Amino acid sequence: KWEDGGKHGRRPYLNRNQSTMPCFYRNNTFLDSEETNIVSLKLYNGKDWIWETFVVRDCDFMYAYNHMKAWKASAPVLTKRNHRYELRISYEMAGSKFQKYKKDKEVEAVIGVDLGVNTDAVCSVVHKDGTVTGQRFINHPVEKDRMYGLLNAIKKAQQNGNRKTPRLWRLANNYNEAIAVKTAVEIVRFAVESKVNVIVFEHLNMKKKKRGNKQKLSLWRKRDIQHRVEALAVRNGIRVSYICAVNTSRLAFDGSGKVIRGKDAGFNTYELCKFTTGKVYNCDLSASKNIGARFFIRVLLKSLSVKEELLVLAKVPELNRRTSCCLATLINAYAVLC
């Protein structure tokens, strides 16, 4: 194809270093036992194909035995990860399927999720009329304390001349990944308990210059959490949506205007904020309510006719600019329509 197209661009080549081998077909090149953690693979030792026996880790075997005993296992694949080989087996649910999200179903309630650096996630249950019926703070201080302790050890090692600390970095990254996994699980669990249809996130874009603690922002696994929530939400028939992140934390949810944070408000932390009315409130909690409200505002404006939209925009002028909308805007717009 490259030659027929006039040889434009770089000459294509075959990349053989994919670190992935062909799958092992059952009873032909792969043998296992459902009751024991011993598997056999037919491998080439340089002269002949022979059966080699391996022992699966007890934690992996017991997890598959307890949770996926009735599931259908596919043919395993041998993959190379770092300096070791792993046997990867995927499973398919037997006799049941995941719940599917119904597009025609009207959305009654959503969960607005504000991901943060200090607090992992703050969730609020927002209904289409602006009623807030639940909220939850998700944080993992134990993992964070251990990760920051490892980062401090890395810093001291680098000051003493040891520039490469792979073991400490591996441990720190593992704790950081554990925070992302636990946060995603807690978000989906709260969504299932609240019986909502949609989980709403901010569309976070960090391409601009980072301000503040750059190390914390670099280790912030915001997109990893969102991807994990998407994978877990599909299994429960829940949809994931994204809204613009501009002014979600800067505007108060009660419509009083911009908030004051940090030293300007007399606080030593950015977790708290002060409204123009003098009210002190958690900034992430206010942002989560605004996130859920903006989803319904977007759905509301799309469902209106031109005449109805002009009527609502005249009485609620904040709707003319989506980035200036908050929870109070949704309440006022719903009251006008009713």
Side-chain angles (χ1 to χ4, degrees), residues 134-179:
Q135 58 192 29
R136 179 168 295 182
F137 290 83
I138 300 173
N139 200 22
H140 302 91
V142 177
E143 288 79 2
K144 284 185 178 181
D145 184 61
R146 292 174 179 175
M147 184 181 69
Y148 292 147
L150 289 170
L151 293 176
N152 190 27
I154 293 171
K155 178 181 177 181
K156 291 182 179 179
Q158 291 176 348
Q159 290 176 351
N160 294 328
N162 188 4
R163 299 295 179 182
K164 296 182 180 181
T165 53
R167 177 180 171 276
L168 294 178
W169 273 116
R170 185 175 68 253
L171 294 174
N173 292 331
N174 288 342
Y175 278 118
N176 200 15
E177 184 179 0
I179 293 172

Side-chain angles (χ1 to χ4, degrees), residues 208-223:
K208 296 182 180 180
K209 187 176 180 181
K210 299 177 182 177
R211 297 180 180 179
N213 193 328
K214 294 183 178 179
Q215 187 182 55
K216 279 189 176 182
L217 292 175
S218 299
L219 295 173
W220 186 25
R221 301 173 68 100
K222 52 191 182 301
R223 293 297 298 163

Side-chain angles (χ1 to χ4, degrees), residues 10 42 50 66 105 128 136 139 176 237 250 269 292:
R10 191 175 65 175
K42 183 176 282 190
I50 60 173
N66 294 330
K105 187 178 180 180
K128 64 179 182 180
R136 179 168 295 182
N139 200 22
N176 200 15
R250 192 174 298 175
T269 177

Side-chain angles (χ1 to χ4, degrees), residues 111-149:
I111 282 187
V113 181
D114 181 68
L115 300 178
V117 179
N118 297 319
T119 304
D120 295 330
V122 180
C123 308
S124 295
V125 181
V126 182
H127 292 257
K128 64 179 182 180
D129 59 348
T131 306
V132 179
T133 58
Q135 58 192 29
R136 179 168 295 182
F137 290 83
I138 300 173
N139 200 22
H140 302 91
V142 177
E143 288 79 2
K144 284 185 178 181
D145 184 61
R146 292 174 179 175
M147 184 181 69
Y148 292 147

Side-chain angles (χ1 to χ4, degrees), residues 114 116 119 122 137 249 261 271 282-289:
D114 181 68
T119 304
V122 180
F137 290 83
S249 300
R261 303 176 66 181
E271 295 181 9
N282 187 283
C283 192
D284 295 336
L285 183 59
S286 175
S288 65
K289 296 179 181 179

Side-chain angles (χ1 to χ4, degrees), residues 80-283:
K80 184 179 181 182
R81 186 177 181 184
N82 297 330
H83 299 286
R84 63 180 182 180
Y85 289 88
E86 295 180 349
L87 196 65
R88 183 179 301 169
I89 304 175
S90 60
Y91 288 83
E92 183 179 356
M93 294 185 69
S96 61
K97 295 182 179 179
F98 293 133
Q99 302 179 18
K100 290 186 177 180
Y101 175 78
K102 297 181 180 179
K103 294 183 179 180
D104 299 335
K105 187 178 180 180
E106 185 179 0
V107 179
E108 296 292 337
V110 301
I111 282 187
V113 181
D114 181 68
L115 300 178
V117 179
N118 297 319
T119 304
D120 295 330
V122 180
C123 308
S124 295
V125 181
V126 182
H127 292 257
K128 64 179 182 180
D129 59 348
T131 306
V132 179
T133 58
Q135 58 192 29
R136 179 168 295 182
F137 290 83
I138 300 173
N139 200 22
H140 302 91
V142 177
E143 288 79 2
K144 284 185 178 181
D145 184 61
R146 292 174 179 175
M147 184 181 69
Y148 292 147
L150 289 170
L151 293 176
N152 190 27
I154 293 171
K155 178 181 177 181
K156 291 182 179 179
Q158 291 176 348
Q159 290 176 351
N160 294 328
N162 188 4
R163 299 295 179 182
K164 296 182 180 181
T165 53
R167 177 180 171 276
L168 294 178
W169 273 116
R170 185 175 68 253
L171 294 174
N173 292 331
N174 288 342
Y175 278 118
N176 200 15
E177 184 179 0
I179 293 172
V181 173
K182 293 183 179 181
T183 303
V185 171
E186 289 293 330
I187 292 173
V188 177
R189 185 178 299 165
F190 181 57
V192 173
E193 292 175 0
S194 304
K195 299 180 181 180
V196 300
N197 309 111
V198 184
I199 299 175
V200 187
F201 285 106
E202 295 175 306
H203 180 70
L204 299 172
N205 185 7
M206 303 293 291
K207 292 182 179 180
K208 296 182 180 180
K209 187 176 180 181
K210 299 177 182 177
R211 297 180 180 179
N213 193 328
K214 294 183 178 179
Q215 187 182 55
K216 279 189 176 182
L217 292 175
S218 299
L219 295 173
W220 186 25
R221 301 173 68 100
K222 52 191 182 301
R223 293 297 298 163
D224 186 21
I225 295 174
Q226 292 174 350
H227 291 326
R228 293 179 184 275
V229 170
E230 289 178 1
L232 293 173
V234 170
R235 303 182 181 183
N236 297 279
I238 301 174
R239 185 163 60 96
V240 177
S241 182
Y242 294 89
I243 56 98
C244 180
V246 179
N247 292 334
T248 53
S249 300
R250 192 174 298 175
L251 296 177
F253 74 94
D254 59 355
S256 58
K258 294 185 178 180
V259 301
I260 307 174
R261 303 176 66 181
K263 296 181 179 179
D264 297 335
F267 304 127
N268 295 326
T269 177
Y270 274 84
E271 295 181 9
L272 299 177
C273 64
K274 183 180 291 186
F275 296 174
T276 55
T277 57
K279 181 179 180 180
V280 178
Y281 206 77
N282 187 283
C283 192

